[in-house]
Amino acid sequence: MKNIKALGEIALRVNDIPGMTAFYEDVVGLEVMRREENMTFFRIAEGYAGHTQILAFFDRSSADDYIGIDSAKTTIDHFAFTIQLEDLEQEQARLESLGIAVDTAVHLWVKWRSLFFSDPEGNRIEFVCYDESIES
């Protein structure tokens, strides 16, 4: 039986809450739901059964057992936000105009087009859209 209905949230430990919050609000374009000194919650989408889909940032450096973030040991490859195909070129131009390096990819087997870029702490972000005109 498959009981999972949707992705509820992605939560990242970050070193610079103000800088990362500004990047995801101003560059990625997410809406801040809640902002506190050591955490920020962003709305991604309505979600499922009352749980809004969110991206959360936590600064755990004040916890007694905090050992820091080691990017060599993280298991995160990237995370993706879905956009409309008609917005793809505009988003690429906007990101590049902000001085952000953008890599593009076409995933033939699922007919997706992607833009990949990095946030200030090195996490890879993907903007992905479906393109039915891609021939697999």
Side-chain angles (χ1 to χ4, degrees):
M1 176 185 339
K2 295 182 181 180
N3 292 321
I4 295 173
K5 306 300 182 201
L7 179 64
E9 59 194 62
I10 298 169
L12 301 176
R13 289 173 295 166
V14 301
N15 292 313
D16 178 7
I17 290 274
M20 290 286 281
T21 298
F23 183 87
Y24 280 82
E25 186 174 17
D26 300 336
V27 175
V28 176
L30 295 180
E31 172 192 349
V32 173
M33 288 179 61
R34 185 178 184 101
R35 182 184 336 230
E36 295 185 14
E37 183 179 344
N38 64 347
M39 69 179 125
T40 303
F41 287 81
F42 296 94
R43 178 184 317 278
I44 296 173
E46 285 304 309
Y48 180 81
H51 189 297
T52 304
Q53 290 182 353
I54 64 168
L55 172 64
F57 295 150
F58 294 96
D59 175 353
R60 304 275 194 211
S61 60
S62 62
D64 292 338
D65 60 348
Y66 183 74
I67 56 173
I69 300 169
D70 184 348
S71 62
K73 294 180 182 176
T74 184
T75 58
I76 296 173
D77 183 78
H78 72 279
F79 47 94
F81 298 103
T82 305
I83 64 172
Q84 294 289 329
L85 176 61
E86 55 266 18
D87 297 330
L88 187 71
E89 288 181 14
Q90 175 185 332
E91 282 299 311
Q92 182 174 355
R94 183 182 68 82
L95 291 167
E96 290 172 342
S97 76
L98 295 170
I100 297 170
V102 177
D103 300 315
T104 62
V106 176
H107 313 281
L108 297 175
W109 68 284
V110 285
K111 298 186 176 194
W112 294 345
R113 294 190 183 277
S114 299
L115 305 175
F116 289 94
F117 57 102
S118 296
D119 71 21
E121 294 193 8
N123 299 298
R124 293 295 282 170
I125 303 164
E126 177 184 11
F127 283 177
V128 63
C129 60
Y130 178 75
D131 184 351
E132 67 183 30
S133 71
I134 295 174
E135 303 222 4
S136 50

